[in-house]
Amino acid sequence: SVAPVTENIGEATIDGFELELMAAPGGGWFVEASLSLLDAEYDDIDTGITLIGENFDFERVPETMASVGVSKEFLLASSGSVMLRADWSYRSETYNDAYNTPLLETDSYSLVDASVRWTSQQGDWSVILSGRNLSDEQYLVTGVYGTAFQSFEGMYERGRQWRAEIRKTF
């Protein structure tokens, strides 16, 4: 409770599947997608030395993650090119501690990001405008619950963010 203790408490198994796809069908289009499925479980736990139960979820291990990204590049003749991109990602619920404390549970969430990038014909200048977490999703990123002093510390997602960049390559 005051200081963490690291000790081997038993056995566990993690089985999973991951699929990634990248495709460039032509015409300036590019598509990326991924899917990850995990089954992480404790097989045998010595409950005499821990408060972790065999039916508890692993800390910070989502069962499902998925993402899709699509971009399209438009050539502007002597003015360079413009790239439009949109991304969607999903992460299933997780606990931020091994004890599966409800206060430290992060619910499942989806994020949407987008950007537009102009690049000069020579490739030495670029201007990028982007938005992250456009749906303004609020979720717990990480946290700690101290049982000795009944204290909670959590870091939450910032919410929607905008960004503008100008780059010059030398």
Side-chain angles (χ1 to χ4, degrees), residues 4-169:
V5 175
T6 302
E7 191 170 342
N8 189 355
I9 60 169
E11 297 179 12
T13 301
I14 300 174
D15 293 315
F17 170 81
E18 185 173 357
L19 176 67
E20 295 182 7
L21 167 76
M22 289 189 282
W29 288 96
F30 185 69
V31 179
E32 298 174 275
S34 68
L35 174 65
S36 171
L37 304 172
L38 285 177
D39 180 23
E41 57 187 37
Y42 295 106
D43 299 324
D44 182 41
I45 294 231
D46 183 352
T47 55
I49 61 173
T50 184
L51 298 175
I52 299 171
E54 286 186 11
N55 61 337
F56 282 23
D57 290 339
F58 278 30
E59 176 180 346
R60 297 183 176 97
V61 177
E63 289 182 3
T64 307
M65 291 192 305
S67 67
V68 176
V70 177
S71 63
K72 168 75 168 135
E73 183 175 27
F74 298 91
L75 298 178
L76 304 175
S78 62
S79 300
S81 65
V82 170
M83 172 85 68
L84 302 176
R85 182 168 179 96
D87 292 280
W88 169 86
S89 62
Y90 169 81
R91 183 178 169 126
S92 62
E93 65 277 346
T94 58
Y95 287 98
N96 287 286
D97 71 341
Y99 303 111
N100 292 183
T101 305
L103 187 62
L104 295 176
E105 182 178 7
T106 298
D107 293 331
S108 62
Y109 60 88
S110 294
L111 299 176
V112 176
D113 303 335
S115 65
V116 58
R117 179 183 72 207
W118 169 80
T119 303
S120 67
Q121 186 176 19
Q122 296 77 20
D124 56 341
W125 282 97
S126 61
V127 176
I128 305 165
L129 302 173
S130 60
R132 185 176 177 280
N133 189 5
L134 295 177
S135 58
D136 202 24
E137 191 73 30
Q138 300 295 315
Y139 58 91
L140 181 67
V141 175
T142 188
V144 176
Y145 178 62
T147 56
F149 302 109
Q150 299 297 300
S151 62
F152 167 72
E153 179 180 319
M155 184 174 77
Y156 290 85
E157 166 62 27
R158 291 181 182 183
R160 184 180 301 117
Q161 299 172 56
W162 298 101
R163 181 176 178 159
E165 298 178 51
I166 298 175
R167 294 183 184 177
K168 168 67 173 148
T169 304

